[in-house]
Amino acid sequence: MSAGRDARPLTPTIDPCWLGPAVTAVLRGRHVSLLAAGPVTDTLRQELEAAVGPAGTVGGDLTGEPVLVLARRDLLPDATTLTGPVRRAVDAAHGLGGEGFALVGDGRSAAIVATGERGLLYGYFHLLRSAATAGSADALPTLDVVREPALAIRMINQWDNTSAGDHLGSVERGYAGDSIFFRDGRMVADRRRIADYARLLASVGINAVSINNVNVHPAAVRLLTDGLPDVADVARIFRGFGISTYLSVNFASPLVLGDLPTADPCDASVVAWWAGVAERIHREIPDFGGFVVKANSEGQPGPFDYGRDHVDGANLLAGALAPFGGRVFWRCFVYDHRQDWRDRSTDRARAAHDHFAALDGRFADNVVLQVKCGPMDFQVREPVSPLALAMTRTNTVVEFQITQEYTGQQIDLCCLLPQWQEFLAFDVSGEGGDTLACALARRSASSGVCAVSNIGDDANWTGHKLAQANLYGFGRLAWDPALSPREILDEWVALTFPDAADLHETLVELQLGSWSTYEMYTAPLGVGWMVTPHTHYGPAVDGYEYSKWGTYHFADRDGLGVDRSVATGTGFAGQYPTAWAQRYEHLETCPDELLLFFHHVPYLHRLHTGETVIQHIYDTHVEGARRVVTMRDLWRSLEGRLDDVSWTNVMERLERQVGSAREWRDQVNTYFFRKSGIPDRHGRVIH
Amino acid sequence: MSAGRDARPLTPTIDPCWLGPAVTAVLRGRHVSLLAAGPVTDTLRQELEAAVGPAGTVGGDLTGEPVLVLARRDLLPDATTLTGPVRRAVDAAHGLGGEGFALVGDGRSAAIVATGERGLLYGYFHLLRSAATAGSADALPTLDVVREPALAIRMINQWDNTSAGDHLGSVERGYAGDSIFFRDGRMVADRRRIADYARLLASVGINAVSINNVNVHPAAVRLLTDGLPDVADVARIFRGFGISTYLSVNFASPLVLGDLPTADPCDASVVAWWAGVAERIHREIPDFGGFVVKANSEGQPGPFDYGRDHVDGANLLAGALAPFGGRVFWRCFVYDHRQDWRDRSTDRARAAHDHFAALDGRFADNVVLQVKCGPMDFQVREPVSPLALAMTRTNTVVEFQITQEYTGQQIDLCCLLPQWQEFLAFDVSGEGGDTLACALARRSASSGVCAVSNIGDDANWTGHKLAQANLYGFGRLAWDPALSPREILDEWVALTFPDAADLHETLVELQLGSWSTYEMYTAPLGVGWMVTPHTHYGPAVDGYEYSKWGTYHFADRDGLGVDRSVATGTGFAGQYPTAWAQRYEHLETCPDELLLFFHHVPYLHRLHTGETVIQHIYDTHVEGARRVVTMRDLWRSLEGRLDDVSWTNVMERLERQVGSAREWRDQVNTYFFRKSGIPDRHGRVIH
């Protein structure tokens, strides 16, 4: 880096991410009409007023030939009296649900028509995207689209602690500063940042947010009591952006607050206690979303503590919330976190399915099971969770992790859209037919996706400027899982770097290749882990090998990998629908990238590529680290061609990534050379 | 454990350690005379008054036929006028230094005669020990001894932080609660605990203490300024027990305090600054001991920062202290803590000798080099530091670690006296002649030993009741390195458990075997480390293998160990005197217990015992863990035969040690089985 620069932003300004001033330039000085009412409409009016600026106007009817009309369909006059884009949009909007919109533009004017005000908000942001990607920032686009979200639930989970002392800092697994919600045990008084965040989320279609960590430490339980007025105020902010607010709750809350001597879900006093809590919340927050619960997981309390099961636990809370339309998101991340590494018969990958599959159909209608996308824990490569496929009679959201806990912690560039897209496009039966996304959409109006946020109070929100794309892309994929990562990145680059059109392809390619590069230099062939315990950044091949966490690679001098076959292993492969179970069961059909997740093989086992496992390890680690150097050199060459703050931020991160990738390469290759004794075919230095 | 017990002490009483009420019973109701004057005499008078109780008296002359006389030789009348023990003691005390004493007792009366008041204090505690070990608590012993300390410097280093937030808690590497000295950035107001500690230290002959951590965080630098009155008060307490007080100082203090723009030792303003500091301290603490300095070590500032060397740095501080009789303890724990694990030519073991050996003779007279006992860092087994042997023209103290950082953290029982005794008895030339202890005694009147304390504010001081023996034993060995561990433990058991004479041998044996047991189940054959990074408790065979700390075992599928020979390795062996260098250089003569410290060997290499290395690893790990179970079972059988508090405390620790030893056994054996592929000859389960 050149002299005088350092890793700090050069100005203290908060980064607008993909909603910078240029994005609304298309509306500057325009006359716009907005026909709707409600809290979202109020927000939309403010958005429009800011966008048109002093030279434009925002009216409440169709007079004055507005260039843009945003209207609830029921507030428009009879369609036959309308013309142009409005007329076409009214026709197209027929039959839409509350979040859909029709957007028609002919280059001179445009109209957004929807059934509800949230559709108008989403249509508005769609218009901005379209204008930006069309490439001419001040021309209204020509288009004629009807859009509805594919998935009903599109949720963000904050893992924010009410105080930094709680556990693992201000935000658990947060890599972008402190919480924007909480500080020193209280809600942050200045809520502008929260409103900015709500706007970013709404712009990509997020409609639900849980604001506190799923590990609910005692202090955070008070959000249900003393903290409720502040929660209500935050819910008011999110309401304006069409987003429902949820709280993570501690299953033992009645005990923690000292109100009851038990939290047994079958105890009448406990039932009454939760009913009272729900009623009190509803009085303050009429559209309260509900609860997120991590129960009997990694030491959190839950129904098992009273000899009850997950159905008892989830239905208890569901019963309390049902009268007010609230939901319970019950996490399925339940496994034995005090496993004995000596015991090869216990398999953490099996745990969620073993715990929950048999309970299908027994949960209340307003219970939503929250299932991690893979069977382990957000590794760079995992098969899809068999539980996500299995619960056909239960509302399900699949949980992703935007924050890069195991994928570089926003130091390393790792655009996760290709991974998420693979999960959502997974062929559920293995014989053609529904993708996972389709299956979720079909399952119920209370199914969808959620994800752990990657933001904090860093000026650029995500620590690594380019990690903003993961937040953006999650929302976009949740809305439309058929979008390709490239399409999403095309939007994101156009919106985020409106002044760098000449670098558009470079920026898209950098992001697109980064997940694959990260996979190359870290744990090989789906085996996962090999990270530094606790922090989860950087290599430690044996870091979790003799731990209680159920996360092993079983490497010895002859081979490595986890035998999860039915025939000779833990039987995990048998949790899948038959076609997939067969495919994963056999070495001949198991995909290379998941080979070591499903099988223990000798180092000289040949992949479908024809390469041996050991040579594949050497090659990919050398190549992955080389690619990071290439990215770093490329970025260095961009100095002066992007804003200084972004360039400096990414440059600093890439320098660190170069060091980290080198460390991964050398530790992994040395470890396996020392164990296997098999030299690199290309004779490179292995230590 | 039986129902109703837990790990907490059953009463909040502070444990008197080896100075419980029974120890002074021998003096109860006696008439005692004390002829001396000074701060230590004042303490001694209080001790005696408490010991004799209301039925006894403490006089200031020889009238009234005192049963015990403690007298400075120059205050006694002419020897020819004396009779009995006093007369004999006066004769025997001829020519003693200020710390020595003559103690004569004929069973009916006794006399302690010394040149200075500290000698009287040490004689007094010697009398108590003799009475306790004689087995009849209220009979005056019959004895006729002259004792002087073998080593002039017998120092304790506290690694106490001024606030817990500083670094690694209240006491760095402390396993017995918080600091008794500091809390929340200030000296603890209630100083009774400090006085109790001073008494414990004096009772085993300690004559110097540094009260704050050698990693001197910015807040602790203020002990030189705002904090000085409190330090002076603590120094007053220690003075009463014949102990000089030292401070650890940050080499960059003039910078940290903001007084100067540099800490360059050759800058005149820096020289003047330190002179001013020393003068100010001396005004408050006339007998101030001096400074302890960790410079250019593990990130601490030092003379290298200004292109100067250790001589410049140490002599700077020595010059400031010299006018007031103070000393500088300059630590030699200097090495590259940002080493690249790929680089096998750099050897941390070499570092201290490489840095300091060539500087011999250039340090000021009041500089004392403080050299860790081994070349690495307090592992369960290391060779003696070659630097400790090399600096023949420089004052030297050898540093031990009483706190069990790498030896079980006062969870595991590990009596370190045999290890220290081996170091002190090391044959310096390798050809017969001086032991290390003799060499230190001969080197100068400013040489000796120091050790990092293991105490905190736990009710029993050391966390593990039996770890008190390490503190006791260090003091006793420092006074007389010729004492055997068994002799010291005989004393300690008799003093500590006066009511359990029937268990004497059991308690001694438990302690005596514990170091060897700990060695068995942890890192094998001197190779060291294999501990969990940062915490240093519990196994992680590869925990430091790919780190920057220079602490590797280089295990691969063929063998393990570090080649430190001159012929093919790092050359470390060549830092020893010729006879030792030759012995360590060659596989044929290298002692088994240090084999992997000096050599990289195949798993099937045969030890001098005839066993292969791999089988030795399997066998010792199984045997070590088995011995811990035996210790635990033995202790369980002692319930009711010792005081409940001690029994419960040790029982709880032994239960944890059983778990830890099992984990060590299985992780180490599995690791090496997976790597070597060589089965256990005895067919035991290896995972």
Side-chain angles (χ1 to χ4, degrees), chain B residues 366-381:
Chain B
N366 60 332
V367 169
V368 184
L369 292 187
Q370 182 164 331
V371 182
K372 288 201 183 195
C373 51
M376 297 297 279
D377 192 13
F378 301 132
Q379 301 302 292
V380 67
R381 175 75 68 174

Side-chain angles (χ1 to χ4, degrees), chain A residues 167-219:
Chain A
H167 190 57
L168 289 173
S170 180
V171 180
E172 184 166 332
R173 308 306 179 183
Y175 310 106
D178 291 333
S179 172
I180 66 165
F181 290 92
F182 306 105
R183 177 157 307 168
D184 302 330
R186 306 179 64 88
M187 197 76 75
V188 169
D190 181 345
R191 304 206 167 135
R192 287 176 297 180
R193 196 85 197 244
I194 297 174
D196 286 344
Y197 185 43
R199 180 173 181 245
L200 288 169
L201 295 182
S203 76
V204 292
I206 297 299
N207 63 3
V209 66
S210 61
I211 63 173
N212 63 307
N213 189 359
V214 291
N215 291 315
V216 185
H217 306 290

Side-chain angles (χ1 to χ4, degrees), chain B residues 28-43:
Chain B
R28 197 164 303 135
R30 309 277 194 179
H31 174 45
V32 175
S33 279
L34 173 61
L35 285 76
V40 175
T41 305
D42 295 341
T43 304

Side-chain angles (χ1 to χ4, degrees), chain B residues 496-518:
Chain B
T496 304
F497 297 105
D499 300 328
D502 54 329
L503 298 179
H504 184 95
E505 199 52 29
T506 301
L507 292 164
V508 169
E509 288 293 336
L510 257 179
Q511 294 266 20
L512 267 183
S514 60
W515 171 54
S516 158
T517 297
Y518 188 85

